Amino acid sequence: MTTKSEVADSRRPRGLADLVGNISYEVMPFKSVERAVLADVPTSIPLTVTVTEAKGIDTTLDFTERLMRHGYTVTPHLAARQFVDDNHVREVIDRLKTAGVNSVFIVGGDAPKPAGRFHSAYMLLQAMQELGHPFSEVGIGGYPEGHANIPQSDIELALKQKAPLATRILTQICFDANTTANWAAGVAKSGIDLPIYVGMPGPVNRQKLVRISAGIGLGQSARFLQKQQNLLWRFLLPGGYNPTKLARRLGSAVPKVRSNIRGLHIFTFNEIQKTEQWRRKLLASVSEKDKR
């Protein structure tokens, strides 16, 4: 008889090949991005669409619907603090259902003042559950290095509360592969068995980050840059960040621990062509190594 732990072990990535073979891209709903996606990204790559305080949830929904019509599997971000009330939640659920969307990613959102009664991702998840949402995939965030403004105990409690209402975890950026792997092992040890997808930046430069931050609204831009200070410093330093090196380190670190890490989630920062070229090159190098 196969034990539960043996089943879990059989699902653990064997290394970089498994991680790269199970990859998704995150894009921002800016002008020209749709054309870039169509030009360079195969429909086999799942996409997520971010939501910004400045552009609002409708921009994310519009972009999601357009990508769905092109044959992509798309997961929109739904920010709790942008929802006005239960009727608003119901309207968004119905709209996504009509569009054929089967997956959503729930975040609290960065708006300093909520538009309605929803202050957290957990509150929105509860409302969706009560409304009987149709989504087969519901993602929530994970924090391998914690959060600068939230006590660690609160983060751990929130994850335990949200996990029963979700089907997967997408992590925030962490540049230390061992930290991510050990965090994921701790999540699994705590009894949360959701699959985890490791968030990491693709091949983007500092100038692109600054341009993006300027396009998401002054208030949110300041918060974006504050949250991404570590990322910005990595790009300021010569050779400070290399996505291939981080991916390979993850490929080495993940199989060494008992965790539910399944794949990679790439923050493209809308560097669509460069990201896809990087993925293909990395996949080819992994495949070639496997042949040897």
Side-chain angles (χ1 to χ4, degrees):
M1 181 178 177
T2 302
T3 66
K4 185 176 180 180
S5 63
E6 287 172 337
V7 172
D9 282 346
S10 71
R11 295 197 304 258
R12 288 167 59 193
R14 293 185 300 276
L16 183 58
D18 285 353
L19 294 177
V20 179
N22 198 9
I23 202 168
S24 58
Y25 293 168
E26 182 168 298
V27 299
M28 297 176 172
F30 291 177
K31 291 181 180 178
S32 78
V33 176
E34 180 180 359
R35 184 168 61 252
V37 169
L38 293 177
D40 292 294
V41 182
T43 56
S44 58
I45 302 295
L47 304 174
T48 68
V49 180
T50 63
V51 62
T52 69
E53 179 188 345
K55 293 181 178 294
I57 193 170
D58 283 337
T59 299
T60 294
L61 299 180
D62 289 343
F63 196 63
T64 295
E65 290 167 339
R66 293 202 304 273
L67 291 176
M68 288 288 294
R69 288 195 290 269
H70 290 302
Y72 290 93
T73 299
V74 190
T75 300
H77 285 209
L78 301 182
R81 287 173 169 250
Q82 291 193 22
F83 283 88
V84 177
D85 52 29
D86 286 355
N87 285 334
H88 190 191
V89 177
R90 184 181 292 106
E91 290 171 1
V92 170
I93 288 176
D94 289 344
R95 180 174 174 179
L96 292 174
K97 181 179 179 180
T98 299
V101 174
N102 295 315
S103 175
V104 292
F105 180 63
I106 309 301
V107 296
D110 290 330
K113 184 178 179 180
R117 73 175 183 88
F118 303 104
H119 294 257
S120 67
Y122 179 50
M123 293 180 70
L124 179 56
L125 285 164
Q126 286 179 307
M128 290 170 53
Q129 184 79 1
E130 291 169 1
L131 291 170
H133 72 79
F135 308 115
S136 58
E137 293 288 346
V138 178
I140 56 176
Y143 297 85
E145 291 186 307
H147 192 290
N149 301 319
I150 304 175
Q152 184 62 30
S153 59
D154 290 352
I155 292 177
E156 293 174 0
L157 175 61
L159 185 59
K160 289 180 180 178
Q161 290 174 327
K162 293 184 293 184
L165 303 175
T167 62
R168 61 173 57 193
I169 298 172
L170 303 181
T171 78
Q172 294 292 322
I173 293 169
C174 174
F175 291 104
D176 190 299
N178 289 321
T179 295
T180 297
N182 291 332
W183 169 84
V187 170
K189 190 175 181 179
S190 73
I192 298 173
D193 62 355
L194 298 179
I196 295 173
Y197 294 81
V198 178
M200 58 172 282
V204 63
N205 58 41
R206 181 179 62 87
Q207 289 77 16
K208 185 62 176 261
L209 282 180
V210 172
R211 289 200 303 272
I212 287 174
S213 70
I216 60 179
L218 183 59
Q220 191 178 14
S221 176
R223 292 191 293 279
F224 172 85
L225 289 173
Q226 184 180 25
K227 289 194 302 181
Q228 302 297 338
Q229 283 183 36
N230 192 16
L231 179 59
L232 284 170
W233 276 111
R234 294 271 177 164
F235 283 101
L236 278 168
L237 297 172
Y241 175 66
N242 183 315
T244 300
K245 288 182 179 179
L246 179 54
R248 291 192 182 282
R249 287 168 183 160
L250 285 165
S252 296
V254 169
K256 295 177 182 178
V257 300
R258 291 182 177 273
S259 76
N260 295 319
I261 290 178
R262 296 285 181 270
L264 302 177
H265 180 67
I266 308 301
F267 298 97
T268 69
F269 296 102
N270 289 351
E271 290 277 15
I272 306 299
Q273 185 180 60
K274 287 176 64 176
T275 299
E276 178 59 13
Q277 289 174 344
W278 168 79
R279 181 191 72 87
R280 294 186 183 191
K281 183 177 180 180
L282 183 58
L283 188 60
S285 68
V286 171
S287 300
E288 185 61 32
K289 184 177 180 180
D290 288 343
K291 294 177 183 177
R292 296 172 186 170

